Amino acid sequence: MKSWIILLVAALLFAENTFAQRDSTQEDAKRTTLTLAGIYGNNANYYGQTAEQKLPYVLTNASLRLKSGFYFSAGSYKLINAGGSAISELDLSAGFEADISKNFNAAVGYSRSIFAQNSPLLGAANENTLSASLAYDLNIFKTGLNTYYAFGTQRDLFMSFSASKALNLGSLFSKNDFISFEPGVEVVGGTLHYLEEYIVRRDRPLNPMPIDPYPTSRELSYRITRDASSFDMISYNMNFLLGYNRSNYLIETGWQISALGKNVSESKQKARSFFNLSLYYQF
């Protein structure tokens, strides 16, 4: 699936589809729905990477999905330990999702992100994201292939492949609720122009000399071990979702472990661990 799986792309699309992934019927999937979400995360996650400082956040999101398959979403991020009282990021998203067959689904979307000035987020150089995804349910598990073209101050291309299995662990209090558990894996590849921009923004206050806002890969070669335009592995991720489900709401905890690609030297090769707590309510 911020600093930021962009976090907006993952979070907005995830919030929009959450109930559809939890044993909903085809009739439910084709009705118009409004989903409200509140999420706490212990650190901003951008394709398994993090900024140099830890950035816990709170996300609020509203997503409207029409029977036709079109969806519209808006969300705001507030970094808890950075940026003062102002909103750290505002995201607006729109797209279309369709069932190609009973087990085959496709979606396209566009997201616009508005970042606070001097944002510490890794993805702040890419304010726009075009996305396309294919999902196939093999019954044994569900697979997904996602492509993201992110552009703004910089331009990057990301691709991910995921596989997950949604399990119903049974009721907790009555037949009207159930506990869900969804383990999954994901591999992400892409370019690193956003990381070049992040390094320059991070170091600019410490450097008294003017800095080229568009540094070459050669200038940053001692911090990034490959050309930022080269497409290579970024992260390998394991995800675990545990949720309490009712007909109209979901309370869910998520845990992600990310091992970074060997060529992303700025990350110092340390594995990352992310935790989030989410509440979704659907009308």
Side-chain angles (χ1 to χ4, degrees), residues 2-4 7 39-45 50-59 77-84 86 88 120-121 273-276:
K2 230 178 178 216
S3 233
W4 247 199
L7 184 63
I39 302 173
Y40 164 79
N42 73 327
N43 199 2
N45 171 10
T50 62
E52 194 170 77
Q53 66 183 112
K54 190 172 184 179
L55 297 173
Y57 65 89
V58 175
L59 160 67
Y77 291 90
K78 176 65 183 74
L79 298 178
I80 296 175
N81 62 356
S88 305
L121 298 171
S273 179
F274 304 95
F275 172 81
N276 61 66

Side-chain angles (χ1 to χ4, degrees), residues 17-34:
N17 288 312
T18 296
F19 284 83
Q21 295 174 357
R22 299 293 186 272
D23 289 359
S24 56
T25 64
Q26 289 186 351
E27 181 180 354
D28 289 336
K30 292 181 179 179
R31 67 186 179 90
T32 296
T33 60
L34 173 65

Side-chain angles (χ1 to χ4, degrees), residues 144-205:
L145 179 63
N146 307 283
T147 301
Y148 309 109
Y149 175 60
F151 58 98
T153 306
Q154 297 287 356
R155 296 186 179 188
D156 285 295
L157 177 67
F158 306 100
M159 295 187 69
S160 69
F161 176 79
S162 63
S164 63
K165 175 64 177 179
L167 303 172
N168 185 334
L169 302 184
S171 299
L172 184 62
F173 299 114
S174 71
K175 64 179 181 179
N176 296 320
D177 67 16
F178 70 94
I179 302 298
S180 60
F181 177 61
E182 185 172 352
V185 295
E186 180 186 41
V187 293
V188 182
T191 58
L192 286 181
H193 292 110
Y194 69 92
L195 184 54
E196 284 190 334
E197 177 71 14
Y198 167 77
I199 294 171
V200 171
R201 286 188 290 107
R202 181 199 64 188
D203 293 348
R204 183 177 291 123

